[in-house]
Amino acid sequence: MPTLPQTRFITAAPPAAIAQGVFELWQLEDDGRLHAGLPKPYVELVVSIAGVHWWRSAMEGAEQLYGDAWVTPIQSGPRYARSVGRRHLIGARLEPWAAQALLGPLPPGDGTPPPRLAEVWGTDEAGALVALLRAADSDVARFALFGRWLAEQSALGGDRPDFGALADAARAGALAEALGVHPRTLRRTFARAAGLSPKRWLRLHRLDAVLRRAGSGGAEQSLADLAQELGYADQAHLTRDVGALTGATPAALQKRGGNLPPHLFPLS
């Protein structure tokens, strides 16, 4: 029997028709050991291909069973997960306004267990998606099926403000200026469409950029330069913000190594 890699993580672009609302598709396969899932500016729609998955809001918290498919809202801090048996997941990272349109209002990511997809969408619809993706015979086929399924969801279509293209704005005021609206109008419109404030969304986008740099294995850029590029006041601000959101230092994140997702921090 071939030996499975400890961690295998791959991504794919969504169909062009829904790229404004779906940032990327991904698949993760590993041995199921405990890890911390770090906050991100996306809502995750996740389907289990293999493994029995357990979730907890804190390292010492009670465990909850995930199920076959679930939705992970935008989180306020790290959450913890493990699997019994080989873990193989496929997911879609949805922009928050697209997730609101597709799934409706979601619970806050404040430590409440992620809702099962069957609770959000209904047992039949969720079961059909799980069966569709589990029947695929390759990564490429599974990505293609998932992308096609997402493209068929009319809620992900349509013309919406492309907030995603403006994620490099360092402040909510800059975002409002880029969109040509008053900051109060932006806060009201954004919160209604996305379910969170533009300030929090921008903060999570900056963290996302830090995690992707740290996860790439490239430590050539100094933290001071990275802080300046991403709109932090200084290196100390970057370090404080990353620590508050992830419970880890930038240096620890850079040492993760391996083919890990940017928002996964191994604990064993």
Side-chain angles (χ1 to χ4, degrees):
M1 179 180 295
T3 301
L4 289 170
Q6 182 172 316
T7 301
R8 189 173 68 93
F9 178 70
I10 56 176
T11 63
I18 56 171
Q20 187 175 333
V22 181
F23 176 69
E24 69 183 353
L25 308 179
W26 56 265
Q27 290 188 62
L28 170 66
E29 189 172 4
D30 68 4
D31 58 10
R33 67 184 61 191
L34 183 67
H35 73 269
L38 306 179
K40 60 187 77 67
Y42 309 106
V43 173
E44 300 270 25
L45 175 56
V46 185
V47 172
S48 167
I49 306 303
V52 178
H53 313 287
W54 294 88
W55 177 97
R56 63 182 90 162
S57 62
M59 276 291 289
E60 305 305 324
E63 286 193 317
Q64 304 279 340
L65 187 64
Y66 266 119
D68 292 332
W70 58 89
V71 178
T72 304
I74 293 177
Q75 299 175 172
S76 58
R79 305 293 176 242
Y80 305 89
R82 67 178 180 90
S83 293
V84 177
R86 178 171 63 97
R87 175 167 44 201
H88 186 179
L89 305 174
I90 183 169
R93 302 195 201 280
L94 307 179
E95 299 288 359
W97 48 92
Q100 286 262 107
L102 180 65
L103 303 166
L106 295 170
D110 58 1
T112 304
R116 298 182 182 185
L117 186 59
E119 298 169 0
V120 176
W121 214 324
T123 302
D124 291 345
E125 184 78 13
L129 177 60
V130 172
L132 174 73
L133 297 179
R134 286 183 175 176
D137 59 5
S138 69
D139 294 332
V140 172
R142 196 170 292 111
F143 275 139
L145 287 169
F146 201 14
R148 191 176 308 132
W149 182 89
L150 289 164
E152 290 171 354
Q153 308 308 308
S154 59
L156 293 177
D159 187 21
R160 294 185 183 85
D162 191 4
F163 296 122
L166 301 165
D168 58 350
R171 296 174 291 104
L175 181 61
E177 183 179 349
L179 290 169
V181 299
H182 192 278
R184 283 197 300 271
T185 301
L186 171 69
R187 287 193 293 270
R188 186 167 54 249
T189 302
F190 197 100
R192 183 170 59 247
L196 75 164
S197 71
K199 181 177 181 179
R200 184 182 175 206
W201 179 73
L202 288 167
R203 185 184 182 205
L204 289 170
H205 258 287
R206 286 193 303 196
L207 174 66
D208 182 69
V210 172
L211 293 175
R212 289 178 185 277
R213 301 289 182 86
S216 70
E220 299 85 4
Q221 188 175 24
S222 72
L223 290 179
D225 289 341
L226 186 61
Q228 181 178 20
E229 178 185 335
L230 297 179
Y232 292 96
D234 51 30
Q235 180 178 334
H237 180 204
L238 181 154
T239 300
R240 285 196 307 272
D241 211 43
V242 168
L245 288 168
T246 71
T249 65
L253 292 168
Q254 287 177 329
K255 293 176 181 176
R256 287 177 294 173
N259 182 28
L260 295 176
H263 309 92
L264 186 150
F265 191 79
L267 299 172
S268 60

